[in-house]
């Protein structure tokens, strides 16, 4: 099953030395061995679990999202593996990932995403998904405590210092901010870049 393909992402700590002075250590969470090569496989696993349950009561339900490519790619891989209906991805018309997403079975729609802010209803309309669910910003599925909770838990012994995480992946960043794993949360500083 998809989740069993996840590897424990902790890489042994490296000591930071400059001119023979030790300044601390750095720990990496490496998600490159996951099916799509990113941490977004964890989100995809959560979404497909939820989607499969929803399909039991509404077999015509479809999911839509905005993506630069990697989230749609990870979700479509997980959906395909489980034989679920394809995701409807809205991607900027300038992105080269359009063809890659189509090849793996994603239903792709393009739009100039810089032209205006889109609401959930706009996304559903642009992906021809009336009555569907837009998952990019859907807080009903509790993304901060669902998608990356296990990943954040790998750092539960972290007691002080800085955690650097991609901010563009808002759900991952939000997970580090909201998951209650750290014994001394006031000593842990989360920086999104």
């Amino acid at each position: 099953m998809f989740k069993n393909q996840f590897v424990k992402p902790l890489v042994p700590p490296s000591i930071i030395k400059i001119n023979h002075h030790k300044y601390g250590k750095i720990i990496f969470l490496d998600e490159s061995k996951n099916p799509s090569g990113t941490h977004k496989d964890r989100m995809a696993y959560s979404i497909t679990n939820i989607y499969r349950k929803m399909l039991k009561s509404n077999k015509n339900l479809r999911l839509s999202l905005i993506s630069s490519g990697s989230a749609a790619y990870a979700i479509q891989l997980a959906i395909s593996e489980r034989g679920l209906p394809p995701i409807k991805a809205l991607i900027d018309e300038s992105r080269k990932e359009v063809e890659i997403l189509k090849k793996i079975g994603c239903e792709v729609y393009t739009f100039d995403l810089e032209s205006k802010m889109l609401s959930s209803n706009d996304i559903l309309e642009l992906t021809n998904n009336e009555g569907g669910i837009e998952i990019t910003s859907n807080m009903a599925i509790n993304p901060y405590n669902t998608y990356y909770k296990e990943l954040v838990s790998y750092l539960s012994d972290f007691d002080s210092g800085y955690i650097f995480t991609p901010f563009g992946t808002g759900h991952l960043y939000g997970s580090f901010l909201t998951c209650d794993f750290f014994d001394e949360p006031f000593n842990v500083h989360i920086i999104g870049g």
Side-chain angles (χ1 to χ4, degrees), residues 22-81:
K22 291 182 183 178
Y23 287 96
K25 63 183 175 181
I26 190 165
I27 300 169
F28 292 96
L29 295 180
D30 179 6
E31 293 281 288
S32 65
K33 303 273 190 296
N34 289 335
S36 76
T38 72
H39 64 278
K40 292 186 180 181
D41 289 312
R42 294 176 187 273
M43 170 195 59
Y45 177 76
S46 294
I47 287 171
T48 54
N49 280 344
I50 294 166
Y51 189 32
R52 189 170 50 187
K53 290 174 187 171
M54 291 173 154
L55 285 169
K56 289 179 182 175
S57 60
N58 180 357
K59 65 180 179 162
N60 296 316
L61 183 68
R62 298 293 297 279
L63 303 180
S64 294
L65 84 156
I66 289 180
S67 179
S68 294
S70 59
Y73 187 81
I75 294 167
Q76 186 59 50
L77 286 180
I79 282 174
S80 294
E81 183 175 290

Side-chain angles (χ1 to χ4, degrees), residues 56-133:
K56 289 179 182 175
S57 60
N58 180 357
K59 65 180 179 162
N60 296 316
L61 183 68
R62 298 293 297 279
L63 303 180
S64 294
L65 84 156
I66 289 180
S67 179
S68 294
S70 59
Y73 187 81
I75 294 167
Q76 186 59 50
L77 286 180
I79 282 174
S80 294
E81 183 175 290
R82 292 175 173 195
L84 304 176
I87 195 156
K88 293 175 169 264
L90 183 61
I91 188 167
D92 190 81
E93 58 195 13
S94 68
R95 301 293 299 195
K96 296 176 185 174
E97 290 84 352
V98 170
E99 292 307 313
I100 295 168
L101 293 173
K102 286 180 180 177
K103 278 184 185 176
I104 64 165
C106 209
E107 201 172 304
V108 181
Y109 298 82
T110 59
F111 185 75
D112 178 5
L113 296 178
E114 296 291 324
S115 66
K116 71 175 199 167
M117 294 289 292
L118 299 174
S119 68
S120 290
N121 289 335
D122 293 333
I123 295 165
L124 291 170
E125 183 179 326
L126 288 167
T127 58
N128 193 25
N129 194 10
E130 185 179 325
I133 297 177

